[in-house]
Amino acid sequence: MINKVKRKIMNGEKVLGVFLGIYAPSLIEMIGYSGYDFVVIDDEHGAFSHSEIENLVRAAELVDLVPIIRVSYDASSIQKALDRGAKGIQVPMVNTKEDAELVVKRAKFPPLGQRGAAFAIRAARFGKDGGESYFNEADENVLICVHIETPEAVKNFEEIMSVPGIDMAFLGSTDLSVNMGYKAEGAQHPEVQRVIQDLYEVANEKGLKIGSVAANASGAVKGFEMGACYIGITGTSVISNAFDELINETIKIVED
């Protein structure tokens, strides 16, 4: 399957998806029926088994969503994600050029990387695919996205993005604010916003692909206007806000 999200990004188009950290295949189907481009299955913060991740990937493919996995810190997490059928990975806490090079090594087959080869896996249709064509297609289609979410990563931003095989940077604004020491103010602190603006300016000037997260439509629009090509909406925020709005409106009507 061609990775339509990677193709759109490389063609200069914008894509919109949803982050999901709960095991809910039916919710992924609903996201797909709503017309989103991708879903990020959050294995960094979510509580999933490998089998559950595989089922979530199946649900995404059923409704033409591109399944992206935000991997955990386990050394085998990238391998597991891609073997399950993920078309892309988001890798947290990539702080140096060497970190980025390690990501590519784990995500691509030799000679581009050191990903372990197997055909009896879902990504290779349990042995129906194989050989050089499978390896080449897998390497070409995987979207490799690294998180920029520490002052060190900000300092090394251009070096990180110079690594062959890195397709996109993702701005982890919450982690960035925490790592900059602004736990109370969060990502809205002026200094954090200045750093984010600087990163967008560098990316726009250098033609680098950049993505971000948003809690709602206005946040997504702002990200796209700043230069992002890839925005992930936090699914739990959307659901929680919808429940809050519903109960608040109902109570207001009843009390009136």
Side-chain angles (χ1 to χ4, degrees):
M1 182 180 76
I2 298 298
N3 187 339
K4 66 177 184 178
V5 163
K6 182 173 182 179
R7 182 174 59 189
K8 284 183 176 181
I9 289 172
M10 296 309 161
N11 287 338
E13 300 178 54
K14 295 176 173 61
V15 293
L16 184 65
V18 176
F19 274 85
L20 193 65
I22 56 177
Y23 183 67
S26 295
L27 181 55
I28 284 186
E29 289 184 69
M30 286 187 272
I31 292 167
Y33 290 136
S34 293
Y36 289 85
D37 296 295
F38 64 92
V39 61
V40 179
I41 300 164
D42 189 359
D43 197 32
E44 181 190 15
H45 296 292
F48 302 119
S49 68
H50 297 306
S51 296
E52 287 173 337
I53 288 175
E54 190 166 288
N55 284 333
L56 294 176
V57 170
R58 284 192 181 100
E61 292 178 349
L62 179 67
V63 289
D64 201 29
L65 273 175
V66 173
I68 310 291
I69 295 179
R70 177 156 71 174
V71 298
S72 72
Y73 301 101
D74 187 276
S76 67
S77 185
I78 291 175
Q79 174 85 53
K80 297 288 189 182
L82 297 177
D83 283 357
R84 303 286 76 73
K87 293 301 178 186
I89 51 172
Q90 289 191 205
V91 185
M93 296 296 173
V94 175
N95 296 315
T96 65
K97 181 178 181 180
E98 291 73 24
D99 288 346
E101 289 171 340
L102 181 58
V103 169
V104 175
K105 283 182 180 179
R106 289 175 172 170
K108 298 207 174 191
F109 292 110
L112 301 176
Q114 298 174 351
R115 178 182 169 187
F119 300 125
I121 54 173
R122 186 174 183 277
R125 297 195 303 157
F126 304 104
K128 298 295 183 184
D129 297 332
E132 187 174 3
S133 61
Y134 165 70
F135 295 131
N136 291 342
E137 184 176 325
D139 283 343
E140 181 180 350
N141 278 320
V142 63
L143 176 69
I144 301 179
C145 173
V146 294
H147 281 222
I148 305 297
E149 49 195 354
T150 67
E152 184 182 13
V154 171
K155 181 181 69 174
N156 296 323
F157 178 60
E158 291 188 60
E159 278 195 0
I160 290 170
M161 296 306 295
S162 73
V163 173
I166 299 298
D167 298 305
M168 187 176 67
F170 187 87
L171 303 185
S173 55
T174 299
D175 273 306
L176 181 60
S177 66
V178 171
N179 285 310
M180 289 177 65
Y182 302 114
K183 295 179 182 177
E185 303 90 335
Q188 297 309 311
H189 189 281
E191 185 62 18
V192 179
Q193 286 297 304
R194 183 192 65 78
V195 170
I196 291 172
Q197 180 64 47
D198 288 347
L199 287 170
Y200 272 111
E201 289 178 2
V202 171
N204 293 335
E205 179 185 345
K206 303 288 185 181
L208 304 175
K209 307 299 182 184
I210 198 164
S212 188
V213 66
N216 49 42
S218 61
V221 170
K222 180 181 177 181
F224 284 136
E225 289 177 344
M226 291 179 71
C229 61
Y230 175 107
I231 296 288
I233 303 289
T234 48
T236 49
S237 294
V238 172
I239 296 169
S240 181
N241 290 340
F243 279 131
D244 288 345
E245 181 180 352
L246 179 61
I247 193 170
N248 290 336
E249 289 185 3
T250 303
I251 291 173
K252 181 180 178 180
I253 292 171
V254 171
E255 290 180 344
D256 289 346

